[in-house]
Amino acid sequence: MAKVNISLDAELVVEVMVLAGVGSPQDAVEAVVRDYIARGHRTEARVQLQDEPRRDADGVSQPPQG
């Protein structure tokens, strides 16, 4: 797996370490990134579930009006 080196504000990393309950900056940043990705996947799944009833309703032919 490829590795990326970045610079971050130390106070941000320490705050994440405390909130996530991890002991290393590397683990803290990985936890944040993994959480962000998981949240994105959950959002995609919810949007997809909300769109399904709309698609089903669109597929039903409406009786002629007028």
Side-chain angles (χ1 to χ4, degrees):
M1 179 185 324
K3 299 284 182 174
V4 176
N5 293 317
I6 58 171
S7 297
L8 295 171
D9 183 334
E11 289 180 23
L12 291 175
V13 175
V14 170
E15 190 167 347
V16 171
M17 289 171 63
V18 170
L19 290 171
V22 296
S24 78
Q26 176 76 32
D27 290 344
V29 173
E30 284 185 13
V32 169
V33 172
R34 289 180 192 280
D35 181 61
Y36 182 81
I37 292 169
R39 184 175 300 179
H41 290 308
R42 289 191 303 268
T43 300
E44 288 174 0
R46 263 193 276 163
V47 168
Q48 197 172 37
L49 286 175
Q50 290 174 352
D51 284 347
E52 284 179 6
R54 289 185 195 148
R55 275 191 239 127
D56 292 343
D58 291 343
V60 175
S61 59
Q62 298 289 331
Q65 297 180 1

